Amino acid sequence: MSMEQILSEVRTFNGLLELAPLPGSEHPEISWGDHFFYYAPDGQVPRNRQPYATIVTKNYLDDTESRLDHEGRWRLNMNVGAEAFTDLVGYPPEEIDESGADYSTTDSFLPHPLYGAYGWVCVVNPASATIERALEALRVAHLADRRRVERRQRRGDASQTA
């Protein structure tokens, strides 16, 4: 599946904010061409939390194991939590060190090379073996981010009326 197909699907999510830095923008050059996804129905990039999913198109300084510096390679990253991580990867986040994962493998669910211990999974070049489950994991990650945002808003509203 192409990156554009995934982007088309994610862009249908209610309340989605996609940050897609372009060359020449105020965002760091390393982020140009990548995509960062938030639940943010107000259209404002959140300042107090990370995206729930990203698509990266290149190596970052401390993140090279997926070999994204090779032509045509990109990686979908998703915060799915420990339970879904175990379901998708086949072992819990606590066992990452023993897994011996090859982070350059394509079309396979893997722990995120840096954030796997926190429930993040990734797929390099999603295709037929992973695409349906990846799209479902994206939907679930979006809804989980929405629930976190709404919970914070309710707590904020409650503290203002007390």
Side-chain angles (χ1 to χ4, degrees):
M1 175 166 253
S2 77
M3 185 188 317
E4 282 305 317
Q5 291 170 302
I6 291 175
L7 290 170
S8 291
E9 180 72 21
V10 173
R11 288 171 179 156
T12 68
F13 295 176
N14 183 35
L16 174 77
L17 173 68
E18 175 187 356
L19 178 62
L22 296 172
S25 71
E26 72 276 10
H27 302 286
E29 185 175 346
I30 189 67
S31 68
W32 297 351
D34 294 343
H35 301 264
F36 305 85
F37 305 105
Y38 302 87
Y39 175 77
D42 63 1
Q44 300 298 309
V45 176
R47 303 259 183 235
N48 61 348
R49 61 191 167 88
Q50 297 296 314
Y52 67 82
T54 65
I55 293 176
V56 295
T57 58
K58 69 194 81 58
N59 287 338
Y60 279 63
L61 187 59
D62 58 349
D63 183 4
T64 61
E65 293 184 68
S66 296
R67 300 185 185 141
L68 301 178
D69 55 340
H70 291 83
E71 182 71 29
R73 292 178 64 90
W74 54 281
R75 188 179 71 211
L76 173 64
N77 307 297
M78 301 169 283
N79 180 0
V80 297
E83 186 176 326
F85 177 102
T86 302
D87 181 51
L88 292 168
V89 176
Y91 52 86
E94 305 84 53
E95 295 180 15
I96 291 173
D97 290 340
E98 297 90 43
S99 73
D102 176 358
Y103 295 105
S104 67
T105 302
T106 60
D107 199 24
S108 181
F109 286 98
L110 300 164
H112 185 283
L114 299 178
Y115 305 117
Y118 304 104
W120 281 75
V121 297
C122 67
V123 183
V124 176
N125 292 45
S128 61
T130 57
I131 195 57
E132 290 305 317
R133 291 183 80 194
L135 290 173
E136 180 57 27
L138 277 167
R139 283 187 211 60
V140 170
H142 178 78
L143 291 173
D145 200 39
R146 177 181 175 171
R147 284 191 300 275
R148 284 188 294 272
V149 167
E150 290 172 348
R151 192 170 46 245
R152 285 182 188 138
Q153 288 172 339
R154 280 192 304 274
R155 277 186 273 180
D157 291 346
S159 69
Q160 290 177 6
T161 60

